[in-house]
C-alpha cells in the first residue's frame, strides 16, 4: 500500500446545472477561453478549437500544435455523431534499423516494449512523428466552424505573449523531467533555469515567475493569419522539419505536406440500453468496446459493488491484452501515463465535442523546435520496436493511439467523456460509462466514484477508499496494489466531461486536478 500521511483529507468539485454552454478542461483558463467563445455566440466546435490551442500553451508538456489526437463530435440538428482522427504518423524516412534493441529489458517509459539503444524511440528528435492537431482543428473549423479562425486562436496567442505562470504545480511538473529536458538546449532554455527546474515563490508568497513563450506566440500568429496549413505547407512547417533534421530526426517537410486529418463514421455499439459512439481504427475505441462486451456478461446490482469492480477488471484485462497483441497498422482489421490532455464542450443547443490531444509522453520527445517554439511529440514510441508484430516500427504508418473520447446517450441523457493518462484512459472511460449506463449516476457522482486501473499486465491498481470486500474480491483473481487518489502522480486517469439531461448542461473534471474545472459560459464575459 502506498503511504498517505493524511488519512482524513477529502476533495470534491462542485457541479453546476445550467441551460447555457459548459466547457470542462484540465486547465481553468483554457476552459474560460472556450466558454467566452460560447458566450460570444460560437457553438461547441468554435469553443473546442479555442480551448485546444489555449490549453496547448497553458499545459505545453501535455499537448500542443506539434501533437495529435482525436475527437468525437455530436451535431444536435443532425442527431449524428462524427469521428475526427488527427493522429500522428511515422515519418516516411524512418528506418527501423535505426532503432536496434538493446537487450536490456523493457523501456522505462509508457509501454512494455523492449528497450531500444539510447531510448531513440522515446527521447530526442528520432522519436518525433508527424503532428496532426493543427490540421485536425483546421478541418473541423472548415466544416463546422461559425466564428473566424483567427479569433479562435487569439486567446492562445495572448496566453503565450503573457508567458507561462510557474505556480507550485507547474514547478512540480517541470522538476519531474529536469534531467531529460536538460539534454536539449532549446527545451532547457524554455523550461529550466541554469539547467535546473525553475524556483517558485516562497512559502507564503504569490507565484510571479513566468516562462517566456514569445516564439510560440509568433508561430501561433502565423497559423492564425495564414490558416491551419501554414504548419504543413508553409515556411513554418519547413522550419520545424529542418529543426528536427538538424537534431538527428527524420521528420521532413514532405511528411507535413502529405498529412491529412480525416472525418469518419464513429464506431457505434450498445451496452445495456446505452448507445456509445467512439473513435474507430487505431485508437482505444475498439478496446473499450471489447471491455464492455465482457462486462455485459455479468449482472450488476443497484450500485457499484464487488461484482461490478471484478467485471471491470476482467473486461479491461481481456481487452487490453488483445490490444497489445493484435492492434496496429498491420493488424487493424483484428477489429501508460502519458502527457495527454482532454476537454469536453456542450453548447446551449446540445452540440458536443469530446476531444483528446497529446504529445504522448510528458514533455513529448523533450525536444523543442527553436524556429517555432513548439515542444515536439514522441509519437514514434507508440510503435513496438520489435519486428514482425502488427504494430512494429515502420515508415509512413499511423500510430496506435490510446485516446478514447466517448459520446454516450440513454433516454434524455447525453454525455461526452474523455481522459488523459495514456494506457489508463480506457479503464477510466469504461468505468465512467458504466457508472452512467448501469447506475444512472449524474456527472458529479460518476466523477467522484472510486475507480480501479487495469491497463495491462497482471496488476490491478485500486483506490484504497474502496470497501474492503471489493479489494478482497479483486485480490482473489489479480495482484492488487492500493493507492490514494492524489494530485501527483496520477494513479488513475484524469477525466473531463460534460452531460446534458432534459435541456440542462453540467460538467466536471478529475476531482484531484488542481488546475481542472468546468466553466459555464454565464461565468465569463466574451
Amino acid at each position: 500500500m502506498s503511504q498517505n500521511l493524511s488519512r482524513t483529507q477529502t476533495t470534491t468539485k462542485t457541479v453546476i446545472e445550467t441551460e447555457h454552454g459548459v466547457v470542462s478542461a484540465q486547465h481553468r483558463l483554457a476552459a474560460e477561453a472556450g466558454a467566452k467563445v460560447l458566450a460570444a455566440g460560437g457553438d461547441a466546435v468554435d469553443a473546442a478549437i479555442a480551448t485546444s490551442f489555449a490549453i496547448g500553451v497553458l499545459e505545453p508538456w501535455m499537448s500542443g500544435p506539434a501533437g495529435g489526437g482525436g475527437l468525437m463530435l455530436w451535431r444536435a440538428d443532425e442527431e449524428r455523431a462524427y469521428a475526427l482522427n488527427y493522429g500522428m504518423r511515422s515519418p516516411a524516412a524512418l528506418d527501423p534499423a535505426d532503432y536496434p534493441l538493446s537487450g536490456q529489458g523493457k523501456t522505462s517509459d509508457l509501454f512494455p516494449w523492449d528497450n531500444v539503444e539510447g531510448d531513440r524511440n522515446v527521447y530526442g528528435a528520432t522519436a518525433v512523428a508527424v503532428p496532426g492537431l493543427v490540421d485536425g482543428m483546421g478541418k473541423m473549423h472548415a466544416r463546422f466552424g461559425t466564428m473566424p479562425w483567427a479569433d479562435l486562436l487569439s486567446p492562445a496567442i495572448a496566453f503565450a505573449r503573457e508567458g507561462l505562470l510557474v505556480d507550485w504545480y507547474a514547478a512540480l511538473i517541470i522538476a519531474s523531467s529536469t534531467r531529460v529536458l536538460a539534454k536539449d538546449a532549446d527545451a532547457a532554455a524554455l523550461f529550466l533555469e541554469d539547467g535546473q527546474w525553475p524556483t517558485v515563490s516562497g512559502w507564503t508568497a504569490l507565484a510571479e515567475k513566468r516562462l517566456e513563450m514569445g516564439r510560440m506566440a509568433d508561430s501561433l500568429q502565423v497559423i492564425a493569419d495564414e490558416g491551419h496549413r501554414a504548419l504543413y505547407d508553409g515556411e513554418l512547417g519547413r522550419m520545424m522539419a529542418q529543426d528536427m533534421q538538424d537534431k538527428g530526426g527524420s521528420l521532413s517537410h514532405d511528411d507535413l505536406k502529405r498529412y491529412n486529418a480525416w472525418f469518419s463514421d464513429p464506431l457505434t455499439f450498445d451496452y445495456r440500453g446505452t448507445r456509445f459512439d467512439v473513435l474507430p481504427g487505431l485508437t482505444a475505441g475498439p478496446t473499450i468496446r471489447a471491455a464492455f462486451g465482457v462486462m455485459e456478461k455479468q449482472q450488476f446490482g443497484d450500485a457499484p459493488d464487488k461484482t461490478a469492480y471484478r467485471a471491470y477488471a476482467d473486461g479491461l484485462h481481456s481487452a487490453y491484452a488483445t490490444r497489445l497483441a493484435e492492434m496496429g497498422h498491420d493488424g487493424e482489421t483484428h477489429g501508460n501515463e502519458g502527457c495527454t490532455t482532454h476537454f469536453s464542450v456542450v453548447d446551449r443547443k446540445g452540440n458536443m465535442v469530446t476531444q483528446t490531444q497529446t504529445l504522448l509522453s510528458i514533455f513529448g520527445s523533450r525536444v523543442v523546435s527553436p524556429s517555432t517554439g513548439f515542444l515536439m511529440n514522441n509519437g514514434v514510441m507508440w510503435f513496438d520496436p520489435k519486428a514482425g508484430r502488427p504494430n512494429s516500427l515502420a515508415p509512413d504508418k499511423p500510430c496506435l493511439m490510446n485516446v478514447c473520447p466517448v459520446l454516450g446517450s440513454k433516454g434524455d441523457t447525453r454525455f461526452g467523456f474523455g481522459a488523459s493518462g495514456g494506457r489508463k484512459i480506457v479503464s477510466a472511460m469504461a468505468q465512467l460509462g458504466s457508472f452512467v449506463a448501469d447506475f444512472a449516476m449524474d456527472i458529479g457522482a460518476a466523477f467522484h466514484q472510486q475507480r480501479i486501473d487495469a491497463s495491462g499486465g497482471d496488476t490491478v491498481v485500486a483506490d484504497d477508499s474502496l470497501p474492503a470486500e471489493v479489494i478482497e474480491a479483486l485480490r482473489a483473481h489479480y495482484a492488487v496494489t492500493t493507492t490514494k487518489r492524489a494530485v501527483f502522480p496520477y494513479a488513475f486517469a484524469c477525466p473531463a466531461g460534460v452531460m446534458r439531461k432534459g435541456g440542462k448542461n453540467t460538467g466536471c473534471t478529475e476531482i484531484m486536478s488542481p488546475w481542472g474545472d468546468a466553466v459555464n459560459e454565464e461565468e465569463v464575459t466574451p
Side-chain angles (χ1 to χ4, degrees):
M1 177 180 292
S2 61
Q3 183 183 30
N4 302 297
L5 297 183
S6 173
R7 306 299 296 171
T8 59
Q9 180 182 16
T10 60
T11 304
T12 62
K13 288 195 173 177
T14 302
V15 176
I16 298 174
E17 188 176 75
T18 177
E19 294 180 353
H20 296 272
V22 175
V23 182
S24 298
Q26 285 182 202
H27 198 293
R28 168 82 189 194
L29 295 181
E32 288 183 357
K36 287 179 180 178
V37 167
L38 296 178
D43 85 347
V45 163
D46 302 307
I49 294 169
T51 304
S52 171
F53 281 102
I55 208 165
V57 173
L58 296 164
E59 285 186 318
W61 45 79
M62 292 290 183
S63 69
L71 63 83
M72 294 300 305
L73 169 63
W74 176 257
R75 301 306 294 173
D77 57 346
E78 301 178 56
E79 295 190 343
R80 179 182 173 185
Y82 292 87
L84 176 58
N85 189 312
Y86 49 93
M88 306 173 211
R89 296 184 67 89
S90 57
L94 182 145
D95 184 353
D98 291 336
Y99 301 82
L101 301 181
S102 68
Q104 298 179 356
K106 302 297 182 182
T107 186
S108 59
D109 215 286
L110 304 182
F111 301 106
W113 307 142
D114 290 347
N115 183 260
V116 170
E117 288 186 7
D119 284 325
R120 290 171 53 82
N121 59 330
V122 179
Y123 305 120
T126 53
V128 175
V130 187
L133 185 143
V134 175
D135 191 56
M137 294 304 92
K139 284 186 167 56
M140 183 164 68
H141 181 263
R143 187 163 181 176
F144 296 108
T146 67
M147 294 180 66
W149 171 254
D151 290 355
L152 302 179
L153 272 73
S154 62
I157 295 169
F159 288 135
R161 296 275 181 226
E162 187 179 28
L164 179 69
L165 182 67
V166 182
D167 65 1
W168 69 270
Y169 188 61
L172 178 62
I173 296 295
I174 295 170
S176 72
S177 296
T178 297
R179 285 187 178 89
V180 286
L181 290 171
K183 294 180 179 180
D184 180 75
D186 299 299
L190 178 58
F191 293 107
L192 306 181
E193 294 179 346
D194 300 322
Q196 304 296 320
W197 61 281
T199 56
V200 293
S201 301
W203 182 259
T204 59
L206 299 176
E208 297 177 348
K209 186 184 299 294
R210 290 184 181 273
L211 300 183
E212 200 280 324
M213 304 180 77
R215 191 67 198 94
M216 186 179 191
D218 292 341
S219 297
L220 289 171
Q221 189 66 61
V222 171
I223 295 170
D225 293 341
E226 300 180 10
H228 68 282
R229 290 302 300 184
L231 187 63
Y232 299 88
D233 305 329
E235 179 65 9
L236 195 66
R238 186 200 67 76
M239 292 190 299
M240 184 172 71
Q242 187 62 56
D243 286 345
M244 293 305 98
Q245 293 192 12
D246 290 345
K247 294 187 178 192
S250 55
L251 178 69
S252 72
H253 197 195
D254 284 341
D255 289 325
L256 294 166
K257 290 178 180 178
R258 286 194 298 268
Y259 184 86
N260 274 294
W262 70 96
F263 279 100
S264 68
D265 290 330
L267 174 62
T268 301
F269 60 92
D270 289 323
Y271 169 78
R272 303 199 209 271
T274 299
R275 169 179 165 163
F276 286 91
D277 293 300
V278 298
L279 285 169
L282 297 181
T283 72
T287 307
I288 193 172
R289 180 180 63 174
F292 275 122
V294 174
M295 290 158 50
E296 196 166 23
K297 297 175 183 177
Q298 184 62 252
Q299 293 301 311
F300 294 173
D302 296 329
D305 57 12
K306 63 181 182 180
T307 301
Y309 282 98
R310 166 68 194 284
Y312 298 154
D314 290 347
L316 291 163
H317 186 267
S318 171
Y320 222 98
T322 299
R323 174 181 178 81
L324 289 176
E326 298 182 11
M327 286 189 70
H329 53 77
D330 288 333
E332 188 173 358
T333 55
H334 287 89
N336 331 313
E337 305 87 42
C339 71
T340 312
T341 196
H342 182 88
F343 56 89
S344 297
V345 183
V346 58
D347 64 26
R348 66 183 66 190
K349 294 180 180 178
N351 299 306
M352 282 188 183
V353 176
T354 177
Q355 179 166 338
T356 310
Q357 55 191 53
T358 185
L359 294 177
L360 186 47
S361 292
I362 193 164
F363 290 95
S365 61
R366 292 79 167 181
V367 165
V368 168
S369 158
S371 300
T372 64
F374 294 156
L375 183 62
M376 303 301 293
N377 70 76
N378 65 336
V380 167
M381 194 181 64
W382 257 316
F383 297 97
D384 188 338
K386 193 167 186 177
R389 296 182 176 179
N391 190 42
S392 293
L393 266 170
D396 197 23
K397 295 293 184 180
C399 302
L400 174 59
M401 300 188 292
N402 294 305
V403 301
C404 193
V406 170
L407 289 173
S409 62
K410 185 174 185 177
D412 67 346
T413 299
R414 184 173 300 281
F415 55 92
F417 292 168
S420 64
R423 293 167 60 193
K424 300 177 186 293
I425 292 173
V426 176
S427 289
M429 289 301 95
Q431 290 167 87
L432 288 170
S434 170
F435 295 157
V436 178
D438 289 307
F439 308 111
M441 290 187 187
D442 61 24
I443 194 170
F447 275 56
H448 285 79
Q449 178 68 29
Q450 303 102 314
R451 300 196 306 272
I452 64 171
D453 179 73
S455 54
D458 296 326
T459 300
V460 171
V461 179
D463 189 319
D464 68 2
S465 67
L466 281 165
E469 64 177 17
V470 171
I471 303 295
E472 291 310 309
L474 292 170
R475 282 194 170 128
H477 300 275
Y478 298 97
V480 175
T481 296
T482 60
T483 188
K484 192 174 182 65
R485 202 163 167 177
V487 170
F488 185 88
Y490 285 110
F492 310 97
C494 186
V498 293
M499 180 176 282
R500 182 175 179 85
K501 182 177 176 65
K504 297 291 184 68
N505 296 327
T506 53
C508 196
T509 62
E510 166 56 38
I511 62 171
M512 298 308 300
S513 171
W515 284 356
D517 245 337
V519 178
N520 174 354
E521 68 175 280
E522 290 182 295
E523 299 178 55
V524 298
T525 301

